[in-house]
Amino acid sequence: MPPDFWNTEYSVYQKGKLTKQNLKSFEGKPFILDFWATWCSTCLKNFKVLDSASRSLKLAVLLVNSQNSGDNFDKVDKCLSELNNGQLGLPSILNDTLLQRYFPSHTLPHYVWIDGSGRVQAITGTVPLNWESLMMMSIEKKRAKKLSKITINSPKE
């Protein structure tokens, strides 16, 4: 991913609060970008699966609510506060324009699966999320962690 992907400051909503954050905390870890809108019932239904995977598998998930969704802070706050009695732990970028340009789509939900080396592994749409695919991303995270401990010396001439 290019540097502006990691370094851009995004407006991030989590549990009623809005902060400015970049994506550097996701660098080096597998994670899923979930493009969504408050009016997308499939998106909302999948949040529980993603939240559970995030907690159980320690797989990072970042919701992305683009500027094109027509949503605003109040709509997102009401929607996410009502889901799971306000216990949803997933953060959401609000009013995104950059990520939508990187990963354009005309349907929601829209998932971008990024591995620990920052490469896009898959872009999926309305296909239902399954536990097996989420576990595979989690396993990739553990493998990347193990590999990061291996030191490879450059060959001697």
Side-chain angles (χ1 to χ4, degrees):
M1 301 306 294
D4 64 334
F5 175 86
W6 306 107
N7 297 326
T8 297
E9 293 281 315
Y10 301 92
S11 295
V12 178
Y13 172 95
Q14 191 162 21
K15 296 189 177 186
K17 295 187 175 141
L18 198 61
T19 59
K20 289 284 191 186
Q21 297 177 29
N22 60 38
L23 299 184
K24 286 184 180 181
S25 65
F26 291 91
E27 206 167 2
K29 304 172 190 172
F31 65 99
I32 298 172
L33 294 174
D34 175 4
F35 291 80
W36 73 287
T38 59
W39 43 262
C40 173
S41 60
T42 305
C43 299
L44 303 179
K45 188 170 89 175
N46 287 337
F47 285 173
K48 288 183 182 181
V49 173
L50 288 167
D51 193 44
S52 179
S54 176
R55 294 170 196 259
S56 301
L57 303 174
K58 298 192 178 4
L59 175 65
V61 176
L62 180 61
L63 306 178
V64 181
N65 187 279
S66 76
Q67 192 174 48
N68 294 346
S69 72
D71 291 332
N72 59 33
F73 177 85
D74 293 332
K75 285 181 183 178
V76 169
D77 185 45
K78 182 179 186 317
C79 178
L80 295 181
S81 295
E82 291 173 356
L83 279 175
N84 208 25
N85 296 324
Q87 298 304 307
L88 188 71
L90 301 174
S92 181
I93 291 176
L94 295 186
N95 291 319
D96 168 67
T97 56
L98 180 64
L99 298 176
Q100 183 171 343
R101 279 183 287 167
Y102 279 130
F103 311 108
S105 176
H106 299 289
T107 61
L108 293 174
H110 175 68
Y111 305 101
V112 179
W113 305 65
I114 299 174
D115 71 13
S117 63
R119 283 179 274 192
V120 174
Q121 292 300 303
I123 297 176
T124 58
T126 57
V127 175
L129 293 175
N130 64 53
W131 198 252
E132 184 178 309
S133 57
L134 294 170
M135 280 187 61
M136 290 305 295
M137 280 297 281
S138 177
I139 290 167
E140 149 53 42
K141 175 182 174 182
K142 291 174 186 160
R143 190 172 353 136
K145 191 173 182 179
K146 284 180 186 174
L147 290 174
S148 71
K149 294 179 183 177
I150 298 172
T151 303
I152 300 173
N153 296 320
S154 60
K156 295 181 181 176
E157 294 184 37

